[in-house]
Amino acid sequence: MSDYNKLTDELIDQIRTAANGHVLTGEDVSDDFSRDEMPIYGTSAPEAVVQPLTTEEVSAVMKICNDNRIAVTPRGAGTGLVGGAVPLYGGIVLDTTKMNKIIGYDLENLAVTVQPGVLFKDLADDCSRQGLLYPPDPGEKLACLGGNVSTNAGGMRAVKYGTTRDYVRAMTVVLPNGEITHFGSNVSKTSSGYSLINLMIGSEGTLGVITELTLKIVPAPKKIASLIIPFEDLEAAISTVPKIKMANLNPQALEFMEKEIVLSSERYIGKSVFPQKIDGVEAGAYLLVTFEAKDEDELNDLIDEASELVLEAGAIDVLIADTPSKMKDAWAARSSFLEAIMAETKLLDECDVVVPITHITEFLTFANATAKECDLTIKSFGHAGDGNLHIYECSNDLTEDVFKERVDAFFEKIYAKATEVGGQVSGEHGIGSGKIKYLRKSLGETNMQLMQGIKKVFDPNLILNPGKICYIPED
C-alpha cells in the first residue's frame, strides 16, 4: 500500500495556491528537511516543503494531499531522535515553524494559547517574565511545542509536575482529509467520552496536524536551588533516589549521570562544574537535584534535610547551587549531554527506555554487561526520579553496517529486559520509524493492531507520516 502519488506541477500549483505561496521546491528545499537529529535512521528528501501560517492553509493543503494520496510528514524544529520527521515516502513536509505566535494568556484559568511552531524556550521565557511557569522541561529547549505534544515530551521536571500530556487542555487539529476539529477544552477535568485529545498527544503526527494548543501554566516558584551530589559509584547514587522520594522532599528535578558523560559535557562547554575528587575519594556518578519553595526558610529546610539524607546514604559530599550563575552552570552541563556526545562521536544511536525506579540499578547493570557482550561503548544518564534512562550507543571506529548490527543485538536484549521489569520502550522521545520493531515485541500484536485500527479511522488513506509508530504501509 506504499503506492503514494508523486507531486505533479499541477498539484504543486494547487498546493501553492492553497498555502498562499508558502511552498518550497527544488533547490530551495534544504537538506535539513530530509532528516532529524539522529542521522542513523537515514535521510529521505521531500518533493516539496509547505510552510503554512494558518489553520485554514493547513486544511486546504491536507485536502489536496488526501484527495490525491500524497504523503505528508508534519515537522517542527526537527529535533527528534527516532526518525519521526523524516519523509520516508517523499511527498510534502508540512513545516509548522512559521506558525510561531503566542496567541494569548488566560490568567484567571492559568492557561496560554499558542501555535505549534512556538519554541519551548520562547514560551518558557515569556512565562518567566510574568511570574509564571510552563512546567514541562524537555532537554531540547529549541524544540517546537507542537513537537513536544506530538511526542509527549517529558524532561527534567516530570518527577514533580508530570509530562507534557498533563498540561495540554485543548487543541485545534486538521484531520488528514482537511477537516478542522477541536479536542479538549480549557477546563481542569472532564469525563466526556473517549479522550480524543490524549490520542493526539504522543501520536507523532500520524493522526492529525496540530495547529493550535491551549496549555496549562502555574505560578513560578519563589525560591529554587540545586544540589550536585557525587557518589563513588552509580549503584550508590541510584539507591538513594527512592529514599529522597519516600522522604516527601518532592524535588522539582532528580537526575543521574555517570562520570564519563559529565567529563564529555564539561569538555564541550569548556567549564568544570562537577567535582571529580573530594578528600581523595573519586566520584563515579552524580545526582543533580533541584528543590523549589515559597520562601528562603522553606528552601533551606529542604536543603538541610536532603543533605543529611544523602550523606547518610553514602554521598561523598553535597554542593549547593543557590545563585542564578551556579544554577546556570550546573544545568548547562546537564543540558549539553547530547551535544557533547555528538561532538565526540561519529556513529550514534540512543534508547530512552523507562523502567520502574526500583529497577533502575538492575537495568543499568544489565545494560552495561550487555554492551560488553555486544562490543559496544555506551554512555548513560537520565531522569532518576521517574525511571527514564537515556543510553547512548557510540562508535568512532566501526563501519555503519557493523554498528547497526551490534546496536540491534543490544536493543533486542535491553528492550526485552525493560519489558520484563515492567518498563516501556520509550519514555519521551517516541517511536518514529526507528523503534517500531521493538515496540511491537514489547506490546504484542493485539495492542499493535488496536493502534493500527485507530490510525486507519483517523487516516483511511494512510497519508499522514506513514511508516511511523505502528503502521508501515507495506503491512
Side-chain angles (χ1 to χ4, degrees), residues 30-345:
S30 165
D31 288 342
D32 289 344
F33 292 110
S34 301
R35 60 178 182 269
D36 66 5
E37 292 221 350
M38 190 59 74
I40 200 72
Y41 295 120
T43 62
S44 181
E47 297 159 63
V49 174
V50 181
Q51 299 178 309
L53 300 182
T54 68
T55 296
E56 289 71 26
E57 288 179 5
V58 174
S59 172
V61 169
M62 288 306 305
K63 186 176 189 311
I64 293 168
C65 291
N66 189 63
D67 289 346
N68 292 277
R69 202 158 194 270
I70 303 296
V72 179
T73 303
R75 176 189 171 95
T79 59
L81 297 172
V82 290
V86 179
L88 296 176
Y89 295 88
I92 70 166
V93 161
L94 194 66
D95 172 21
T96 61
T97 57
K98 294 189 183 300
M99 300 179 71
N100 56 10
K101 293 182 175 63
I102 298 175
I103 296 170
Y105 289 85
D106 178 352
L107 296 181
E108 291 184 342
N109 288 302
L110 283 176
V112 59
T113 299
V114 302
Q115 290 184 311
V118 173
L119 300 183
F120 169 82
K121 181 181 184 301
D122 291 342
L123 179 63
D125 290 346
D126 199 64
C127 283
S128 180
R129 285 190 288 269
Q130 302 178 67
L132 300 167
L133 176 71
Y134 175 58
D137 186 25
E140 178 52 78
K141 310 307 181 192
L142 298 180
C144 291
L145 292 169
N148 286 171
V149 172
S150 293
T151 58
N152 187 32
M156 323 292 185
R157 294 194 285 249
V159 61
K160 180 180 177 72
Y161 287 107
T163 63
T164 297
R165 183 183 303 278
D166 301 301
Y167 295 88
V168 183
R169 286 188 168 172
M171 63 174 66
T172 299
V173 175
V174 176
L175 298 176
N177 65 2
E179 185 176 350
I180 300 170
T181 189
H182 306 275
F183 297 148
S185 62
N186 190 16
V187 295
S188 58
K189 64 180 182 180
T190 179
S191 184
S192 307
Y194 294 153
S195 183
L196 297 176
I197 194 170
N198 275 300
L199 283 176
M200 284 295 302
I201 300 167
S203 65
E204 300 182 45
T206 62
L207 302 182
V209 181
I210 298 169
T211 60
E212 190 173 294
L213 290 161
T214 298
L215 305 170
K216 175 184 172 183
I217 50 180
V218 300
K222 300 295 184 183
K223 297 293 180 179
I224 189 167
S226 291
L227 306 183
I228 297 173
I229 309 171
F231 291 82
E232 287 191 63
D233 54 54
L234 183 62
E235 183 174 354
I238 297 299
S239 65
T240 306
V241 172
K243 297 174 184 177
I244 293 173
K245 299 191 76 173
M246 287 298 294
N248 198 30
L249 295 174
N250 202 19
Q252 184 199 80
L254 180 47
E255 302 288 292
F256 83 90
M257 55 219 68
E258 295 187 274
K259 180 178 181 178
E260 287 305 314
I261 185 61
V262 169
L263 293 175
S264 293
S265 182
E266 292 185 337
R267 286 192 295 269
Y268 180 77
I269 65 174
K271 181 178 287 190
S272 180
V273 180
F274 290 71
Q276 308 303 316
K277 184 181 288 188
I278 303 96
D279 296 331
V281 180
E282 291 277 353
Y286 305 85
L287 294 180
L288 178 57
V289 189
T290 296
F291 294 103
E292 59 182 47
K294 65 178 181 295
D295 55 42
E296 199 75 37
D297 289 341
E298 182 183 30
L299 184 62
N300 288 333
D301 287 345
L302 283 170
I303 291 173
D304 289 345
E305 187 176 350
S307 298
E308 182 178 350
L309 184 155
V310 299
L311 289 169
E312 288 181 357
I316 304 172
D317 199 357
V318 177
L319 287 78
I320 302 172
D322 55 359
T323 66
S325 62
K326 290 179 180 178
M327 289 274 294
K328 182 179 179 181
D329 287 345
W331 285 98
R334 167 60 183 88
S335 297
S336 298
F337 284 171
L338 175 55
E339 290 83 356
I341 294 173
M342 286 181 166
E344 297 182 346
T345 307

